[in-house]
Amino acid sequence: MARLLENKKKQTIPALAQKEKENVKKDGFFSGFFVLTLSVVIVKIIGLVYKIPMLGLLGSEGMGYFNSAYEIYALFCVISTAGLPVAMSVMIAAKGQESAESIFKVAMRLFIALGIIGTAIMIAFAVPFADYLKSDKAALCIFAIAPTVFFVCICGAYRGYFQGLGQMLPTAVSQVIEALGKLLLGLLFAGVAFAHGLDTSMVAAAGVLGLTLGTAISALYLALSKKLHRRGEAHKASNRRGVAGELLRAAIPITLSSAVLSLTKLIDMSMILRRLQTIGYSSEMAFSAYGSYTTLAVPLFSLAPAIISSVALPLVPALSGAVANKDKQKQMTSVIDALKLTSIIAMPIGLGMSMFSRQILDLVFKSDAEAVALACPLLAILGMSVTMSCYITVENAILQAYGKPSLPICSMAIGAFVKIVLAYVLMGVGSINIMGAPISTFACDLTINAINFYHISKRVPQNIPQGEILVRPFASALLSVAAGRILYMSVSGQLADSVATLLSIAFTAVLYVAMCFLLKAVNKDDVKRLPVLNRLVK
């Protein structure tokens, strides 16, 4: 399996690189991978903006119902779409435009089957899922989100097709459409349900319908885009059974790796809701605690990995080419660049979240003081995991570039086991309760990083410079965030809290840039290698 993926990479890296160069020439700045990865950041921001008014409508309890249904949906979505679009893009890039249509038709049949099966399972088991979470009110949200699995599968087929041809704009636009649908339609439906005085669980289900319709609109946009794309070109027929087998063989390792992470989140959800009730929480209190955690703390925690995937991962394809060409110098440069950039971006974000957890939550979610008070210590602990979570994103990509896709699966499975055991024990202690969730996340991420880093160090040609990648960025971040905290404490009594928070964060950011250069955590050559800033620095 690893050899198959490695051979595919050798075949497709030059093709993808050439397509990317052509797209950049044609479309300029807004092209290729930059457009695709920028859309990920936009989608994350829209998602965060969406949660603010939705929290006001649903409260922590209603958001608990909403997020519990979403995590169940996310697992089915990952199983259905995590690997196949990537496998499609690899095959299409390798075999060219003339085979793209045949591959797409086979893949679409697989996606439709997976979408129907996933949706049917969610509908059939909505009530048992809710019973397992010890709340029948969650079933309505599960019913409402079930059709989204089908539409996401349809989107996955089209996205794999376009990405294989090196065209990232349709995927990027469809992702934004999906997010905007959730934001606008979700808030509209939830607002109408709330205005009619419906139960909290029904208001939450109405909000979920926005995501379902937004995904359906996204699928319609992709279908129209494909219909208008390159009409009249010749296509080469392919053996359907052979194409299906090749797609599945390439998709399974990627799917398993992503499914482990999604399954961990699902277990985390059920652990929180069930264990809290064993120590005296009512069902409503448990969903309220879970809603505060997943609506306030987790989305902010997830912003940094989204930024890392959009900035650091474009550096990783260079590693695939270097491995294929046995270019040891290029291998080291690619690995160091990816890990170093991850440290530089993630470390100040993580430390800032830990030291300014209450101020950040007050600034973003000031409408619900009770939820903020509950989420504040949770975000402070999660902040310590931000950098490690970002490392995992890059480390997994590095190991896949070395033709070892099974290693991230193993490390994430071991980390998930650590998290499950620790969460079960800690959340059963009354004085710790839901705090066990972020603590176990920290232990999980630490475990995964240790295993991944060990395997990476065995494969890179030279020792990875710890000082350059870890020590200097951490020292720069720590000194800057500490200075920002001191400034906040000095001005918080004289200025409005929101003004003091924004001023302190801005000061921290400016100081951090200066400290990075002063402590030599970054230099001019590093900036030149960034995908965007290299045009600004001569």
Side-chain angles (χ1 to χ4, degrees):
M1 182 69 69
R3 190 179 298 111
L4 173 66
L5 289 177
E6 188 172 0
N7 290 338
K8 286 297 176 188
K9 286 186 176 72
K10 290 180 182 178
Q11 297 170 16
T12 59
I13 288 297
L16 287 172
Q18 182 60 35
K19 284 184 171 63
E20 182 61 18
K21 289 178 182 177
E22 293 172 359
N23 285 341
V24 171
K25 289 179 182 178
K26 288 189 294 184
D27 302 322
F29 187 74
F30 295 100
S31 62
F33 287 107
F34 176 76
V35 173
L36 178 60
T37 50
L38 178 62
S39 75
V40 174
V41 178
I42 294 173
V43 166
K44 286 288 185 181
I45 294 173
I46 292 174
L48 184 60
V49 171
Y50 163 78
K51 291 178 184 295
I52 298 171
M54 190 62 78
L55 178 64
L57 287 172
L58 300 179
S60 298
E61 180 189 345
M63 289 304 298
Y65 300 134
F66 184 103
N67 292 331
S68 62
Y70 188 88
E71 291 300 341
I72 296 171
Y73 148 76
L75 177 61
F76 284 93
C77 183
V78 164
I79 293 172
S80 303
T81 64
L84 274 174
V86 177
M88 275 184 70
S89 64
V90 167
M91 288 183 63
I92 291 173
K95 298 184 178 182
Q97 167 70 32
E98 59 183 10
S99 297
E101 191 65 29
S102 296
I103 295 171
F104 170 78
K105 288 179 179 179
V106 173
M108 179 59 84
R109 290 186 177 93
L110 291 174
F111 275 113
I112 290 174
L114 288 170
I116 292 173
I117 292 170
T119 297
I121 291 175
M122 285 197 69
I123 292 174
F125 290 92
V127 173
F129 282 145
D131 289 341
Y132 177 75
L133 299 176
K134 296 187 176 181
S135 177
D136 56 354
K137 293 183 178 181
L140 283 174
C141 287
I142 300 173
F143 279 124
I145 205 170
T148 312
V149 176
F150 175 78
F151 293 120
V152 164
C153 287
I154 301 301
C155 289
Y158 288 115
R159 289 168 181 170
Y161 171 82
F162 283 115
Q163 290 171 30
L165 297 175
Q167 299 198 12
M168 307 300 169
L169 186 60
T171 294
V173 173
S174 68
Q175 289 174 339
V176 174
I177 289 174
E178 191 175 308
L180 286 174
K182 180 175 73 172
L183 173 66
L184 301 176
L185 297 176
L187 288 175
L188 174 63
F189 296 158
V192 171
F194 182 82
H196 283 76
L198 299 180
D199 179 77
T200 300
S201 61
M202 298 183 71
V203 177
V208 169
L209 284 176
L211 172 61
T212 301
L213 290 180
T215 309
I217 296 170
S218 176
L220 178 61
Y221 160 78
L222 287 167
L224 292 174
S225 297
K226 183 180 180 301
K227 188 174 182 180
L228 297 173
H229 175 72
R230 294 184 179 180
R231 290 182 175 179
E233 291 198 4
H235 301 295
K236 183 171 66 177
S238 301
N239 179 273
R240 292 181 180 178
R241 188 170 298 178
V243 170
E246 196 171 351
L247 279 170
L248 292 173
R249 286 193 298 272
I252 286 172
I254 303 170
T255 301
L256 288 176
S257 179
S258 301
V260 169
L261 181 61
S262 185
L263 183 61
T264 301
K265 292 181 179 179
L266 187 60
I267 293 172
D268 196 34
M269 173 194 71
S270 63
M271 194 83 69
I272 292 172
L273 295 175
R274 292 176 64 86
R275 288 296 282 168
L276 291 182
Q277 293 183 57
T278 63
I279 60 173
Y281 281 57
S282 66
S283 174
E284 289 74 16
M285 290 172 59
F287 271 93
S288 180
Y290 175 72
S292 296
Y293 177 56
T294 54
T295 304
L296 279 69
V298 173
L300 290 171
F301 165 77
S302 300
L303 282 177
I307 295 172
I308 290 300
S309 67
S310 65
V311 179
L313 289 185
L315 298 173
V316 176
L319 176 60
S320 297
V323 172
N325 297 324
K326 299 182 179 179
D327 186 341
K328 294 183 178 180
Q329 182 59 42
K330 185 64 175 177
Q331 289 179 41
M332 286 306 301
T333 301
S334 299
V335 170
I336 291 172
D337 281 351
L339 293 175
K340 185 176 180 180
L341 186 57
T342 300
S343 297
I344 290 170
I345 294 175
M347 284 183 175
I349 294 176
L351 288 172
M353 283 186 183
S354 292
M355 290 194 180
F356 289 93
S357 59
R358 183 190 63 79
Q359 290 77 19
I360 293 172
L361 289 171
D362 272 337
L363 189 66
V364 179
F365 297 102
K366 58 184 178 181
S367 62
D368 196 328
E370 183 179 347
V372 167
L374 180 58
C376 173
L378 302 175
L379 181 60
I381 298 174
L382 280 177
M384 297 187 293
S385 300
V386 165
T387 303
M388 290 187 293
S389 179
C390 292
Y391 280 144
I392 291 171
T393 301
V394 177
E395 288 165 355
N396 287 353
I398 290 172
L399 289 171
Q400 289 171 0
Y402 273 101
K404 300 294 180 181
S406 61
L407 293 179
I409 299 174
C410 295
S411 64
M412 294 178 74
I414 295 171
F417 177 77
V418 170
K419 178 177 177 59
I420 291 168
V421 172
L422 197 59
Y424 183 86
V425 173
L426 293 178
M427 284 192 285
V429 178
S431 59
I432 299 177
N433 53 75
I434 197 172
M435 296 288 288
I439 293 173
S440 62
T441 295
F442 178 84
C444 170
D445 290 350
L446 183 63
T447 302
I448 294 172
N449 269 279
I451 297 172
N452 282 352
F453 198 80
Y454 167 76
H455 288 300
I456 290 172
S457 64
K458 286 179 61 178
R459 282 160 180 81
V460 294
Q462 304 168 25
N463 290 330
I464 297 175
Q466 304 289 329
E468 183 180 354
I469 290 175
L470 297 174
V471 178
R472 291 175 185 173
F474 179 76
S476 302
L478 182 62
L479 291 172
S480 303
V481 174
R485 180 67 187 180
I486 292 171
L487 174 63
Y488 172 80
M489 294 172 66
S490 301
V491 302
S492 60
Q494 305 170 33
L495 301 172
D497 196 64
S498 59
V499 175
T501 299
L502 291 172
L503 177 64
S504 301
I505 292 175
F507 170 77
T508 300
V510 173
L511 180 60
Y512 177 65
V513 173
M515 292 300 299
C516 280
F517 283 99
L518 183 64
L519 298 181
K520 297 182 179 180
V522 68
N523 53 51
K524 190 174 181 179
D525 290 335
D526 294 327
V527 177
K528 284 182 178 180
R529 286 196 291 269
L530 292 180
V532 177
L533 297 183
N534 57 3
R535 300 188 180 190
L536 305 179
V537 180
K538 303 295 184 183

